[in-house]
């Protein structure tokens, strides 16, 4: 039905795609990732691969033998929840809108309380919005690589990415623009140390000029991404990241924060400020990872300990 958005627009109808999977009757944990992630959190036979397969599944850091995993497709994204159509306009979306949809979904499924909401990157912003707006629904928030606001330097990078995509859409080259924007984004997700180790080799001479190893990697990842996602949805959710603001003093839900020293997008200083301002109990886990902002995709053992301490029923 109709859905009023946080920034004032109104959608006449919203449909939502979700998946609830794991051991029946187990405590439910909502799991939300970056703007490209969707409801397929971990793999099931005959279904699409999960975006967090290294971390979530039977016997993994977030064990589906102990928890039921609730995943959803974001409003405004490229998956099956309502989002932009090719060439169409779509209103600005807030993390609070995603949190409201999650709240309505929990009502629909008869879930009185989530054992936890685990959010990484944009999903962490949604977890914080849920904790502020609907505290009765949530027993613990686990927030990885996200803070109470976006850092201006991160907004600077993403603003250029959106400008590239908008320019390309205006010239009928949306997919090409998205590939370039994603290539630029990839340079912010990982650490300088990883790039030094992987891409220190010499440039290759080509008829079009020299091509650097890191260049080949970035553009290949950009083209793969553009083949799977809609440029209009990228612009919508990238903007949603930069519009993100929550009030830490209004969040009393117990919270675990995970910050990465090498994260170029979410500085540890912002997470320390968030820890100090939260109204409820908070534990901040600081780690060093060559994977930078993307550490949530790789650091299995650190996250195993985080989930064990934050999510196990008392």
């Amino acid at each position: 039905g109709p859905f009023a958005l946080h920034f004032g627009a109104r959608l006449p109808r919203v449909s939502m795609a979700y998946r609830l999977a794991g051991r029946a009757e187990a405590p439910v944990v909502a799991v939300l990732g970056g703007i490209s992630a969707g409801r397929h959190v971990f793999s099931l036979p005959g279904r699409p691969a999960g975006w967090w397969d290294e971390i979530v599944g039977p016997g993994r850091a977030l064990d589906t033998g102990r928890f039921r995993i609730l995943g959803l497709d974001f409003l405004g994204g490229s998956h099956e929840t309502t989002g932009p159509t090719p060439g169409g306009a779509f209103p600005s979306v807030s993390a609070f809108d995603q949190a409201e949809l999650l709240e309505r979904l929990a009502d629909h499924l008869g879930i009185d309380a989530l054992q936890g909401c685990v959010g990484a990157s944009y999903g962490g912003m949604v977890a914080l919005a849920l904790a502020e707006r609907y505290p009765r629904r949530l027993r613990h928030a686990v927030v990885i690589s996200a803070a109470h606001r976006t850092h201006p330097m991160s907004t600077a990078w993403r603003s250029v990415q959106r400008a590239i995509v908008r320019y390309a859409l205006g010239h009928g080259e949306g997919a090409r623009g998205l590939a370039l924007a994603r290539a630029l984004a990839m340079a912010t997700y990982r650490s300088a140390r990883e790039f030094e180790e992987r891409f220190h080799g010499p440039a290759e001479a080509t008829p079009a000029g020299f091509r650097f190893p890191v260049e080949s990697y970035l553009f290949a990842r950009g083209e793969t991404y553009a083949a799977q996602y809609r440029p209009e949805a990228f612009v919508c959710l990238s903007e949603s990241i930069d519009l993100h603001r929550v009030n830490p003093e209004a969040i009393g839900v117990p919270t675990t924060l995970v910050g990465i020293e090498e994260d170029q997008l979410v500085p540890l200083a912002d997470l320390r400020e968030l820890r100090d301002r939260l109204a409820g109990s908070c534990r901040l886990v600081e780690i060093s990872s060559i994977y930078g902002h993307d550490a949530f995709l790789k650091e299995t053992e650190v996250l195993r300990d985080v989930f064990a301490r934050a999510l196990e029923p008392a």
Side-chain angles (χ1 to χ4, degrees):
F3 189 78
L5 296 169
H6 178 76
F7 292 112
R10 186 176 180 86
L11 293 171
R13 182 179 182 276
V14 168
S15 59
M16 186 177 184
Y18 72 91
R19 188 179 76 170
L20 181 62
R23 184 172 64 84
E25 310 304 324
V28 177
V29 176
V31 178
L32 312 172
I35 63 173
S36 307
R39 67 189 185 275
H40 297 286
V41 179
F42 68 102
S43 294
L44 289 173
R47 301 295 179 91
W51 61 264
W52 221 8
D53 272 335
E54 291 191 36
I55 304 297
V56 183
R60 294 184 179 148
L62 189 52
D63 188 355
T64 52
R66 302 181 67 84
F67 300 103
R68 276 195 116 183
I69 304 301
L70 177 60
L72 57 88
D73 293 348
F74 288 128
L75 179 70
S78 289
H79 300 294
E80 293 187 36
T81 294
T82 298
T85 56
F90 200 79
S92 297
V93 170
S94 167
F96 285 111
D97 298 321
Q98 313 290 1
E100 182 177 346
L101 284 176
L102 182 53
E103 164 77 1
R104 293 193 189 189
L105 178 58
D107 275 343
H108 172 73
L109 296 172
I111 300 170
D112 293 330
L114 295 166
Q115 186 68 20
C117 182
V118 175
S121 191
Y122 182 60
M125 299 175 184
V126 177
L128 288 167
L130 183 73
E132 178 179 336
R133 189 68 57 83
Y134 305 105
R136 67 173 186 83
R137 185 74 69 178
L138 183 59
R139 292 177 179 156
H140 202 109
V142 179
V143 177
I144 309 165
S145 295
H148 53 296
R149 55 111 188 197
T150 54
H151 193 280
M153 181 58 77
S154 302
T155 299
W157 286 321
R158 280 188 293 266
S159 296
V160 175
Q161 294 163 28
R162 291 193 295 275
I164 292 169
V165 176
R166 287 177 175 134
Y167 180 85
L169 283 168
H171 290 76
E173 294 284 349
R176 180 59 181 156
L178 181 57
L180 292 172
R182 179 66 173 185
L184 177 57
M186 290 298 302
T188 70
Y189 295 156
R190 299 294 181 95
S191 71
R193 181 159 55 99
E194 183 190 17
F195 275 31
E196 168 65 23
E197 292 182 6
R198 292 179 61 184
F199 305 117
H200 62 271
E204 174 189 2
T206 75
F210 281 96
R211 190 172 182 90
F212 299 91
V214 70
E215 181 182 5
S216 298
Y217 164 78
L218 293 176
F219 290 141
R221 294 297 297 270
E223 288 162 8
T224 298
Y225 187 87
Q228 301 174 21
Y229 299 96
R230 295 197 295 273
E232 297 87 353
F234 175 87
V235 170
C236 177
L237 293 184
S238 170
E239 179 191 65
S240 186
I241 291 174
D242 288 323
L243 291 169
H244 169 68
R245 299 290 188 277
V246 296
N247 178 12
E249 287 80 6
I251 298 175
V253 173
T255 301
T256 299
L257 305 174
V258 181
I260 296 90
E261 181 182 348
E262 294 82 359
D263 191 340
Q264 300 183 78
L265 296 174
V266 186
L268 280 175
D270 283 5
L271 286 167
R272 291 168 183 159
E273 179 187 345
L274 174 58
R275 173 199 60 195
D276 294 341
R277 291 177 57 191
L278 283 169
S281 62
C282 179
R283 174 184 177 228
L284 171 59
V285 179
E286 299 184 13
I287 67 171
S288 175
S289 174
I290 195 171
Y291 301 110
H293 186 74
D294 277 353
F296 70 90
L297 297 170
K298 300 290 187 179
E299 298 294 348
T300 301
E301 293 311 311
V302 171
L303 293 179
R304 187 184 303 276
D305 175 71
V306 166
F307 299 149
R309 293 186 60 172
L311 300 177
E312 288 297 331

